[in-house]
Amino acid sequence: MRDPFMVLFGGFIVFTAIALWIALNRPGRKGARTRSETTPARRTVRRRWELTGCVLLAAAGLDVAASYGIGTSSSARSGITVELGLAMMVLAVAWSIFRDEVRRYQLWLGAALYGLPRPAEPAQIKAAEYTGVFLRLLLFLLGLITVLARLILR
């Protein structure tokens, strides 16, 4: 361990992200909201953005703890670092949070490019969902393998 202070600081950042997520989602939370934010759809979108911010804060804490605390940065500048693996895992988690929006955009893009029917058929929706699940799983697993390989082979 290179610097125990940095490991503790990274852990504190992760703890802060978790505490912030709990505070933002406690039952009965009242905040300054405009009238248009009271609809369920707007609340769902707001909660997703709050979750994304907390995930990014936690990822930054893990990055600080792993990179500076235990020294996993690439010394040869090969580009295979823990940061790359963590970025891939964070991307997969963010994609999971916004999967409905990504699927809608994917179906809209397919309809615009290939002339597919505008309300998508159920088979097209299922295919878009399975493609998203496959790519998210692939991103997360490749990120995890990159982190573990870098930690083991350093």
Side-chain angles (χ1 to χ4, degrees):
M1 185 179 308
R2 286 188 181 175
D3 191 3
F5 173 73
M6 292 305 283
V7 173
L8 290 174
F9 180 64
F12 176 73
I13 293 173
V14 172
F15 171 77
T16 303
I18 294 169
L20 183 63
W21 174 245
I22 291 171
L24 288 172
N25 285 308
R26 71 180 187 275
R29 178 185 129 194
K30 303 219 188 238
R33 294 188 192 109
T34 63
R35 187 174 197 135
S36 63
E37 283 188 16
T38 58
T39 63
R42 292 203 185 251
R43 274 184 263 149
T44 302
V45 170
R46 184 177 46 85
R47 281 199 175 137
R48 286 183 181 175
W49 279 109
E50 291 170 352
L51 176 60
T52 301
C54 291
V55 165
L56 290 175
L57 185 62
L62 288 174
D63 183 46
V64 167
S67 299
Y68 301 106
I70 54 180
T72 58
S73 292
S74 176
S75 59
R77 303 287 178 226
S78 65
I80 300 174
T81 61
V82 171
E83 291 92 347
L84 175 66
L86 287 175
M88 290 169 71
M89 290 191 293
V90 166
L91 180 62
V93 169
W95 189 349
S96 295
I97 294 169
F98 292 101
R99 67 184 176 271
D100 293 332
E101 287 82 3
V102 171
R103 187 187 67 235
R104 274 197 301 268
Y105 178 72
Q106 184 180 2
L107 291 171
W108 173 81
L109 191 62
L113 287 177
Y114 303 113
L116 299 175
R118 264 319 267 241
E121 297 173 2
Q124 291 173 334
I125 294 172
K126 238 184 197 341
E129 288 175 1
Y130 287 144
T131 302
V133 167
F134 174 73
L135 291 175
R136 287 192 313 263
L137 187 63
L138 186 68
L139 265 175
F140 191 82
L141 289 177
L142 287 175
L144 185 65
I145 289 169
T146 302
V147 169
L148 291 177
R150 182 68 186 135
L151 289 174
I152 291 170
L153 300 176
R154 62 180 171 116

